[in-house]
Amino acid sequence: MQPLIDQHGRIATDLRVSLTDRCNLRCTYCMPPEGLDWMPADDQLTDDEVVRLIGVAVERLGVREVRFTGGEPLVRRGLVDIVRQVRSLDAGVEMSITTNALGLARTAHALAAAGLDRANVSLDTVRRRTFETITRRDRLDDVIAGLAAAEAAGLGPVKVNAVLLRGVNDDQAPELLAWCLERGYQLRFIEQMPLDAQHGWDRASMVTADEILSSLSSVFRLSPASEPRGSAPAELFHVDGGPATVGIIASVTRPFCGDCDRVRLTADGQVRNCLFARSESDLRLAMRSGATDDDLADRWRVAMWGKAAGHGIDDPTFLQPDRPMSAIGG
Ligand code: SAM
Ligand code: SF4
């Protein structure tokens, strides 16, 4: 086993697999109202190809955590089967999903039975109007039902990811935290990143981690959690003395690139060594041209070696990647 090491000494053990670039919501910070030019069906990896590449990662490259994402991974028809096949490859690998939870109420039990360990659900507000403003869909009840189903199916601890937008929901952080605490969900706020398809992100107007902490502190007593953060991107804080916590993922204002252990595989079989990478390595073409598992593992290692030291968002020469978040896999 030769791991995915880069020239700065980091080892990637956490694989994010995008299963589709399509989505049934239209979050304003992610994509335009009309959606995007979706990936042609032939470009997308088949279920067997996805499982084969995950197998290469787990069996030859030391990957220990697999997270399914997208786009919206629940719209991928073969999802339950893919989970089952990955579980049969390796009983110990941690398997989770990042989802908007639409339809999770129907599939949570099947996913848990197939071997999924945990669910992370994206929810930016618990107010119906605000939800509709952000996602451009009136589906808050489905998300709430999906969260409850995930918990009931044993896909916990359920984590909730939230993005705050200035003038839209930035005054709702304490309310969202109270709602999550009541239900035992672990809330993490994510700073908005320059990964939207419309290129509308603006450093000056994004809501920063400091602002989020100050807003939460007006209602809750926060103290830094003593556990070391390691490669986990969220800085954790005990709420009102604990044991409950809230997390802040300050990708922009307090980057954690030095501890990054992630690698990404897009739905069309491209390895990306960073969310913000400007180049990719095409495993789909290699695979469809007859590459062996050893060849694929070698290509993957080479792709990882070139990972940049940091994302460079604050660098004047920073260029947003061509692919938006929904086509990379967040
Ligand atoms: N559709 C699924 C979902 O929303 O959970 C999975 C894919 S989505 C791209 C993954 C995560 O990225 C979500 O938590 C979403 O809020 C977050 N996200 C999307 N665009 C973002 C951006 N520009 N900055 C920060 N987070 C973003
Ligand atoms: Fe869809 Fe997730 Fe993007 Fe929202 S953040 S539009 S749910 S992919």
Side-chain angles (χ1 to χ4, degrees):
M1 173 90 72
Q2 277 178 279
L4 287 171
I5 188 163
D6 71 48
Q7 59 195 312
H8 306 285
R10 295 164 296 188
I11 295 177
T13 54
D14 179 347
L15 173 63
R16 307 281 152 123
V17 180
S18 174
L19 292 177
T20 176
D21 62 339
R22 289 168 192 252
C23 190
N24 37 19
L25 293 183
R26 293 286 183 275
C27 304
T28 54
Y29 51 80
C30 185
M31 57 173 83
E34 67 277 14
L36 298 165
D37 290 333
W38 309 122
M39 194 177 279
D42 287 351
D43 286 1
Q44 191 169 287
L45 298 180
T46 64
D47 294 356
D48 286 347
E49 287 173 332
V50 171
V51 173
R52 178 172 171 203
L53 289 180
I54 294 175
V56 168
V58 168
E59 289 165 356
R60 289 161 203 262
L61 298 169
V63 161
R64 297 312 305 151
E65 201 172 335
V66 175
R67 174 168 306 172
F68 298 108
T69 178
E72 176 44 51
L74 291 179
V75 307
R76 172 95 184 207
R77 243 185 251 134
L79 174 65
V80 172
D81 213 47
I82 291 172
V83 168
R84 188 176 301 110
Q85 290 193 62
V86 173
R87 177 53 71 222
S88 70
L89 282 175
D90 188 310
V93 74
E94 265 285 304
M95 228 191 319
S96 60
I97 188 169
T98 298
T99 171
N100 64 26
L102 298 190
L104 189 56
R106 281 193 307 277
T107 48
H109 271 99
L111 286 168
L116 192 74
D117 294 307
R118 285 184 298 106
N120 289 1
V121 171
S122 303
L123 178 62
D124 307 322
T125 175
V126 286
R127 295 190 201 169
R128 179 179 304 278
R129 278 276 176 75
T130 314
F131 184 91
E132 202 172 342
T133 301
I134 295 176
T135 67
R136 302 186 178 106
R137 300 286 187 271
D138 182 13
R139 305 290 301 271
L140 177 62
D141 291 344
D142 298 278
V143 179
I144 292 175
L147 274 162
E151 183 78 38
L155 295 175
V158 172
K159 291 184 181 163
V160 171
N161 294 339
V163 175
L164 294 182
L165 304 175
R166 196 170 301 285
V168 180
N169 64 340
D170 56 336
D171 57 339
Q172 297 176 27
E175 175 182 320
L176 186 56
L177 177 55
W179 189 90
C180 288
L181 290 174
E182 252 172 54
R183 290 158 182 81
Y185 305 147
Q186 295 182 1
L187 177 61
R188 294 141 6 132
F189 291 95
I190 309 174
E191 280 182 342
Q192 190 189 356
M193 294 179 277
L195 287 169
D196 56 313
Q198 316 87 294
H199 292 235
W201 181 87
D202 172 26
R203 177 75 161 86
S205 65
M206 60 161 281
V207 180
T208 64
D210 284 349
E211 290 177 275
I212 299 167
L213 284 171
S214 136
S215 165
L216 293 173
S217 300
S218 66
V219 176
F220 299 98
R221 191 164 45 82
L222 301 185
S223 48
S226 49
E227 303 95 57
R229 177 174 158 193
S231 61
E235 273 179 75
L236 285 185
F237 297 86
H238 285 303
V239 182
D240 292 339
T245 57
V246 63
I248 310 273
I249 304 182
S251 324
V252 178
T253 61
R254 299 177 203 163
F256 36 85
C257 304
D259 292 319
C260 180
D261 64 353
R262 312 237 163 123
V263 53
R264 292 184 153 80
L265 181 66
T266 65
D268 55 347
Q270 311 297 306
V271 167
R272 295 182 62 91
N273 57 27
C274 171
L275 262 179
F276 295 93
R278 299 207 43 86
S279 63
E280 304 178 332
S281 177
D282 190 348
L283 294 190
R284 183 194 64 201
L285 181 65
M287 188 164 46
R288 292 183 184 173
S289 309
T292 64
D293 284 1
D294 279 340
D295 297 335
L296 293 169
D298 284 343
R299 279 172 180 269
W300 206 323
R301 284 188 202 98
V302 170
M304 214 53 207
W305 183 251
K307 176 165 168 149
H311 58 45
I313 291 176
D314 280 333
D315 192 303
T317 61
F318 173 77
L319 278 178
Q320 189 173 329
D322 296 332
R323 275 185 199 254
M325 178 75 123
S326 56
I328 295 172

